[in-house]
Amino acid sequence: MTQDAAIPLIDVAPLLGGGPEGEADVARKLGRACRDIGFFYIEGHGIPAGTIADVFAQAQRFFAAPAAIKDPVRYTGASGNRGHVPIEGEKLQPGTLPDLKECFNIGLELASDDPDLLGGQPFRHANPWPDQPGFRATMLDYFGHAHRLGLALHRALARDLGIERTFFDDKLSKPMAILRLLHYPAAPVAPRPGQLGAGEHTDYGNLTLLATDGVEGLMVRNRAGQWISAPTVPGALICNIGDCLMRWTNDVYVSTPHRVVSPNRDRYSVVFFLDPNPEALVACLPTCLKDGAAKYPPVVAADYLLSRLEPTYKHTS
Ligand SMILES: O=C(O)CCC(=O)C(=O)O
Ligand SMILES: [Fe+2]
């Protein structure tokens, strides 16, 4: 199956050299997708297929593991946002049934003597690692690739937005990014009427990079209000804009609602949420001021993320 025509496929290989060559053309295409639908596929992203395959293999093994492996690494709470969240542990669309999925969240890995960690700064937390050979190294390898790719994409987006191409570099250098492994089980848990794999939501950060195993389920609401499917394109990642970048751009870029319908067989996906550094101030970019008016007041990124995470976990506490 090919992707819906409304979600473009963009080759981002020219961005990965580190220099500005080739950036202009890619920036134009990315910028257009961010304005039109807020979703795009990328190919030429440079994350080795073997690395992605290793992440899926480790994730499947972890989700199949017994409680003796999962319980010691259970979710740390919204302020750390790490560890294993069991099935129905989260509700992305408050007011509906909880999501029929389980996940494992991995945050930025910090040295044990990192001052932010020792100082108890928001979202600075040790990652709980399951007792599973190779898991930690595989996840940290992927995390590094996804972070570097996210920075390269932001340089192109900055160019499209008419600001200094390195504007986002120091706002995403030590990010509240989360690598999230997801498992949507087909059985033995049957969905109740109206229950989704992941309820309708927008993402909270700047940019999301998604890899899936090819099992369909992701639906995206385009600007005309129609739900369209976003099937897997082999070798490509699905990207979307989150609410922080929508705020930074004064709604010039759109953070698009999406959801995952419960699959009829097990589905696995791997999501990298690139949220800003905790102390970054998310304030309207001067090039995005329309008629001199900012739609949103400036917000500290950590305060914003906490305000979005807390309601989704409230029902379980
Ligand atoms: O699993 C997917 O395809 C998407 C998951 C998602 O949208 C999310 O976790 O924010
Ligand atoms: Fe999402």
Side-chain angles (χ1 to χ4, degrees), residues 157-281:
L157 298 179
R159 179 191 270 267
D160 171 68
L161 292 165
I163 53 176
E164 182 63 40
R165 69 190 275 279
T166 56
F167 173 83
F168 289 108
D169 286 14
D170 65 355
K171 288 138 193 105
L172 299 169
S173 54
K174 211 172 164 184
M176 299 181 287
I178 290 292
L179 171 57
R180 164 170 261 208
L181 314 174
L182 282 156
H183 172 216
Y184 302 87
V189 198
R192 290 175 265 163
Q195 190 172 26
L196 292 168
E200 178 181 338
H201 66 283
T202 52
D203 292 345
Y204 316 143
N206 267 30
L207 186 64
T208 304
L209 309 175
L210 168 72
T212 77
D213 63 356
V215 177
E216 292 200 14
L218 179 62
M219 311 280 301
V220 174
R221 199 174 73 202
N222 67 17
R223 277 198 149 174
Q226 301 149 327
W227 284 100
I228 60 172
S229 66
T232 303
V233 174
L237 297 173
I238 304 171
C239 303
N240 63 281
I241 298 304
D243 297 327
C244 276
L245 198 51
M246 186 159 174
R247 290 175 76 105
W248 239 318
T249 64
N250 214 22
D251 291 358
V252 171
Y253 286 179
V254 60
S255 167
T256 299
H258 52 283
R259 65 188 187 199
V260 177
V261 295
S262 287
N264 52 19
R265 60 190 166 110
D266 282 31
R267 178 177 188 270
Y268 298 87
S269 63
V270 172
V271 198
F272 182 77
F273 299 105
L274 184 51
D275 286 65
N277 294 0
E279 67 286 354
L281 188 68

Side-chain angles (χ1 to χ4, degrees), residues 47-60 138 142:
I47 305 185
T51 303
I52 298 173
D54 287 350
V55 172
F56 276 92
Q58 287 284 353
Q60 289 192 21
T138 298
Y142 187 87

Side-chain angles (χ1 to χ4, degrees), residues 10-26:
I10 301 170
D11 181 359
V12 297
L15 303 183
L16 303 184
E21 312 78 33
E23 215 168 65
D25 183 46
V26 181

